[in-house]
mmCIF file of all heavy atoms in Angstrom:
data_model
loop_
_atom_site.group_PDB
_atom_site.id
_atom_site.type_symbol
_atom_site.label_atom_id
_atom_site.label_comp_id
_atom_site.label_asym_id
_atom_site.label_seq_id
_atom_site.Cartn_x
_atom_site.Cartn_y
_atom_site.Cartn_z
ATOM 1 N N GLN A 475 -22.361 -17.715 7.535
ATOM 2 C CA GLN A 475 -23.429 -18.553 8.010
ATOM 3 C C GLN A 475 -24.139 -17.925 9.202
ATOM 4 O O GLN A 475 -23.479 -17.328 10.068
ATOM 5 C CB GLN A 475 -22.894 -19.925 8.419
ATOM 6 C CG GLN A 475 -22.339 -20.782 7.301
ATOM 7 C CD GLN A 475 -21.928 -22.137 7.774
ATOM 8 O OE1 GLN A 475 -22.632 -22.768 8.581
ATOM 9 N NE2 GLN A 475 -20.793 -22.643 7.324
ATOM 10 N N SER A 476 -25.435 -18.069 9.231
ATOM 11 C CA SER A 476 -26.229 -17.580 10.380
ATOM 12 C C SER A 476 -27.571 -18.340 10.374
ATOM 13 O O SER A 476 -27.741 -19.288 9.619
ATOM 14 C CB SER A 476 -26.436 -16.069 10.301
ATOM 15 O OG SER A 476 -27.053 -15.562 11.446
ATOM 16 N N THR A 477 -28.445 -17.897 11.252
ATOM 17 C CA THR A 477 -29.789 -18.445 11.282
ATOM 18 C C THR A 477 -30.795 -17.328 11.273
ATOM 19 O O THR A 477 -30.518 -16.232 11.695
ATOM 20 C CB THR A 477 -30.009 -19.309 12.550
ATOM 21 O OG1 THR A 477 -29.751 -18.508 13.693
ATOM 22 C CG2 THR A 477 -29.094 -20.549 12.561
ATOM 23 N N ASP A 478 -31.983 -17.644 10.748
ATOM 24 C CA ASP A 478 -33.073 -16.677 10.690
ATOM 25 C C ASP A 478 -34.286 -17.231 11.412
ATOM 26 O O ASP A 478 -35.017 -18.053 10.846
ATOM 27 C CB ASP A 478 -33.412 -16.353 9.221
ATOM 28 C CG ASP A 478 -34.515 -15.299 9.091
ATOM 29 O OD1 ASP A 478 -34.976 -14.807 10.155
ATOM 30 O OD2 ASP A 478 -34.893 -14.982 7.957
ATOM 31 N N PRO A 479 -34.533 -16.781 12.626
ATOM 32 C CA PRO A 479 -35.668 -17.288 13.393
ATOM 33 C C PRO A 479 -37.020 -16.948 12.801
ATOM 34 O O PRO A 479 -38.047 -17.472 13.199
ATOM 35 C CB PRO A 479 -35.491 -16.666 14.760
ATOM 36 C CG PRO A 479 -34.654 -15.503 14.546
ATOM 37 C CD PRO A 479 -33.740 -15.835 13.424
ATOM 38 N N ARG A 480 -37.043 -16.048 11.813
ATOM 39 C CA ARG A 480 -38.307 -15.667 11.181
ATOM 40 C C ARG A 480 -38.789 -16.736 10.200
ATOM 41 O O ARG A 480 -39.946 -16.723 9.783
ATOM 42 C CB ARG A 480 -38.182 -14.336 10.440
ATOM 43 C CG ARG A 480 -37.625 -13.197 11.321
ATOM 44 C CD ARG A 480 -37.600 -11.881 10.568
ATOM 45 N NE ARG A 480 -36.813 -10.879 11.268
ATOM 46 C CZ ARG A 480 -36.847 -9.581 11.037
ATOM 47 N NH1 ARG A 480 -37.713 -9.111 10.128
ATOM 48 N NH2 ARG A 480 -36.091 -8.744 11.708
ATOM 49 N N ILE A 481 -37.910 -17.634 9.843
ATOM 50 C CA ILE A 481 -38.290 -18.719 8.930
ATOM 51 C C ILE A 481 -39.113 -19.732 9.701
ATOM 52 O O ILE A 481 -38.676 -20.266 10.711
ATOM 53 C CB ILE A 481 -37.050 -19.418 8.329
ATOM 54 C CG1 ILE A 481 -36.227 -18.391 7.495
ATOM 55 C CG2 ILE A 481 -37.440 -20.592 7.444
ATOM 56 C CD1 ILE A 481 -34.914 -18.966 6.949
ATOM 57 N N GLU A 482 -40.291 -19.977 9.227
ATOM 58 C CA GLU A 482 -41.236 -20.867 9.937
ATOM 59 C C GLU A 482 -41.073 -22.320 9.485
ATOM 60 O O GLU A 482 -42.009 -22.998 9.152
ATOM 61 C CB GLU A 482 -42.676 -20.387 9.752
ATOM 62 C CG GLU A 482 -42.911 -18.973 10.316
ATOM 63 C CD GLU A 482 -44.307 -18.515 10.071
ATOM 64 O OE1 GLU A 482 -45.034 -19.193 9.350
ATOM 65 O OE2 GLU A 482 -44.689 -17.464 10.620
ATOM 66 N N GLU A 483 -39.841 -22.781 9.488
ATOM 67 C CA GLU A 483 -39.526 -24.150 9.166
ATOM 68 C C GLU A 483 -38.429 -24.640 10.074
ATOM 69 O O GLU A 483 -37.747 -23.818 10.752
ATOM 70 C CB GLU A 483 -39.111 -24.282 7.691
ATOM 71 C CG GLU A 483 -40.177 -23.931 6.695
ATOM 72 C CD GLU A 483 -39.746 -24.041 5.264
ATOM 73 O OE1 GLU A 483 -38.647 -24.663 5.031
ATOM 74 O OE2 GLU A 483 -40.435 -23.565 4.363
ATOM 75 N N ALA A 484 -38.198 -25.944 10.096
ATOM 76 C CA ALA A 484 -37.203 -26.485 11.001
ATOM 77 C C ALA A 484 -35.804 -25.997 10.589
ATOM 78 O O ALA A 484 -34.941 -25.700 11.455
ATOM 79 C CB ALA A 484 -37.239 -28.027 10.928
ATOM 80 N N ASN A 485 -35.534 -25.907 9.301
ATOM 81 C CA ASN A 485 -34.239 -25.449 8.829
ATOM 82 C C ASN A 485 -34.263 -23.926 8.705
ATOM 83 O O ASN A 485 -34.939 -23.361 7.860
ATOM 84 C CB ASN A 485 -33.890 -26.078 7.496
ATOM 85 C CG ASN A 485 -32.567 -25.545 6.922
ATOM 86 O OD1 ASN A 485 -31.691 -25.200 7.689
ATOM 87 N ND2 ASN A 485 -32.476 -25.467 5.642
ATOM 88 N N GLN A 486 -33.497 -23.266 9.583
ATOM 89 C CA GLN A 486 -33.443 -21.825 9.568
ATOM 90 C C GLN A 486 -32.070 -21.317 9.180
ATOM 91 O O GLN A 486 -31.729 -20.135 9.383
ATOM 92 C CB GLN A 486 -33.813 -21.269 10.963
ATOM 93 C CG GLN A 486 -35.204 -21.599 11.394
ATOM 94 C CD GLN A 486 -35.555 -21.064 12.785
ATOM 95 O OE1 GLN A 486 -34.637 -20.880 13.617
ATOM 96 N NE2 GLN A 486 -36.813 -20.780 13.038
ATOM 97 N N SER A 487 -31.234 -22.185 8.564
ATOM 98 C CA SER A 487 -29.881 -21.794 8.183
ATOM 99 C C SER A 487 -29.891 -20.875 6.986
ATOM 100 O O SER A 487 -30.637 -21.065 6.024
ATOM 101 C CB SER A 487 -29.065 -23.065 7.864
ATOM 102 O OG SER A 487 -28.972 -23.928 8.955
ATOM 103 N N VAL A 488 -29.040 -19.837 7.060
ATOM 104 C CA VAL A 488 -28.906 -18.875 5.970
ATOM 105 C C VAL A 488 -27.436 -18.536 5.753
ATOM 106 O O VAL A 488 -26.607 -18.712 6.644
ATOM 107 C CB VAL A 488 -29.708 -17.594 6.244
ATOM 108 C CG1 VAL A 488 -31.213 -17.883 6.348
ATOM 109 C CG2 VAL A 488 -29.211 -16.879 7.499
ATOM 110 N N LEU A 489 -27.202 -18.027 4.600
ATOM 111 C CA LEU A 489 -25.911 -17.377 4.273
ATOM 112 C C LEU A 489 -26.277 -15.886 4.076
ATOM 113 O O LEU A 489 -27.158 -15.539 3.294
ATOM 114 C CB LEU A 489 -25.337 -17.963 2.991
ATOM 115 C CG LEU A 489 -23.847 -17.793 2.727
ATOM 116 C CD1 LEU A 489 -23.007 -18.448 3.825
ATOM 117 C CD2 LEU A 489 -23.468 -18.351 1.341
ATOM 118 N N CYS A 490 -25.605 -15.001 4.831
ATOM 119 C CA CYS A 490 -26.048 -13.613 4.814
ATOM 120 C C CYS A 490 -24.895 -12.666 5.021
ATOM 121 O O CYS A 490 -23.771 -13.066 5.366
ATOM 122 C CB CYS A 490 -27.086 -13.397 5.906
ATOM 123 S SG CYS A 490 -26.467 -13.668 7.585
ATOM 124 N N GLY A 491 -25.136 -11.405 4.836
ATOM 125 C CA GLY A 491 -24.158 -10.348 5.070
ATOM 126 C C GLY A 491 -24.710 -9.000 4.696
ATOM 127 O O GLY A 491 -25.885 -8.857 4.251
#
Side-chain angles (χ1 to χ4, degrees):
Q475 293 184 42
S476 186
T477 57
D478 182 1
R480 306 185 194 197
I481 298 175
E482 297 179 352
E483 296 180 12
N485 177 31
Q486 298 179 333
S487 298
V488 297
L489 200 62
C490 63

